[in-house]
Amino acid sequence: GCGRAGTWPAYVKIDKSTNAFVSNFVIQYTLELNEQLKSEALQFTPPDTDKIQAFPIIVRYSETESEIGAAGTAEKDGYSCIVTIYPVALRSDILKTVLWHEYGHCLGLDHINVSNEIMSPGVFQFRYYKKAAVDRFLNEFKMLLRMVSR
């Protein structure tokens, strides 16, 4: 995990180097997470601005594979979080799960050692998660979100 997050809502900014294909999925899956949370927890920074918002999450796509074989990573300091998506997330059709998982880290959720959960270290295609697993993730996200929201 990446430790406790800064003050939310978070402001997602897609790195300019990220291609349109990946960017469109990041937007779609981020909006779906907000919809499921019934919240505007993740807001978008307009792409034409360099202004830093309250708690920025920079999402970027790496053209090269992770040295550790990860599908995604979240690197957080006290003031921002950088989410990197790697090619295996696209090839394996796990981008939605990876993005939600990494947003969980940005918020402060840690890995759990239970398989078939969104915050498990190994992720699957989203459609393979049971409703109960998705609900657990959403409930944990909402609970922590209440603690960090302004």
Side-chain angles (χ1 to χ4, degrees):
C2 296
R4 190 174 163 141
T7 303
W8 282 51
Y11 290 85
V12 176
K13 183 167 179 75
I14 301 170
D15 188 80
K16 293 174 186 164
S17 67
T18 300
N19 67 49
F21 179 78
V22 175
S23 295
N24 287 334
F25 280 111
V26 168
I27 292 166
Q28 176 187 337
Y29 296 149
T30 301
L31 293 174
E32 285 180 23
L33 179 55
N34 276 341
E35 185 179 306
Q36 292 296 314
L37 293 168
K38 295 177 177 47
S39 168
E40 293 293 321
L42 297 151
Q43 299 178 15
F44 286 97
T45 300
D48 57 347
T49 184
D50 288 326
K51 181 180 177 201
I52 300 297
Q53 302 287 352
F55 184 74
I57 297 176
I58 310 301
V59 179
R60 65 182 182 192
Y61 178 70
S62 172
E63 297 287 339
T64 59
E65 298 292 347
S66 159
E67 291 178 10
I68 59 171
T73 58
E75 299 173 46
K76 189 188 155 311
D77 60 27
Y79 307 101
S80 66
C81 189
I82 297 173
V83 171
T84 304
I85 306 297
Y86 294 98
V88 68
L90 300 180
R91 281 196 312 276
S92 305
D93 192 25
I94 58 173
L95 180 57
K96 180 176 179 177
T97 308
V98 169
L99 189 63
W100 284 26
H101 176 103
E102 300 309 337
Y103 283 158
H105 284 315
C106 290
L107 181 62
L109 295 175
D110 290 322
H111 283 148
I112 56 174
N113 291 322
V114 178
S115 62
N116 300 323
E117 297 287 333
I118 292 174
M119 290 310 297
S120 296
V123 297
F124 304 100
Q125 293 176 0
F126 198 83
R127 67 178 179 259
Y128 291 120
Y129 290 96
K130 293 183 177 174
K131 182 182 182 317
V134 174
D135 289 346
R136 275 190 293 277
F137 171 78
L138 293 169
N139 288 334
E140 290 173 20
F141 202 103
K142 287 178 197 176
M143 185 176 66
L144 197 49
L145 186 59
R146 282 193 286 275
M147 294 172 60
V148 298
S149 293
R150 50 183 152 136

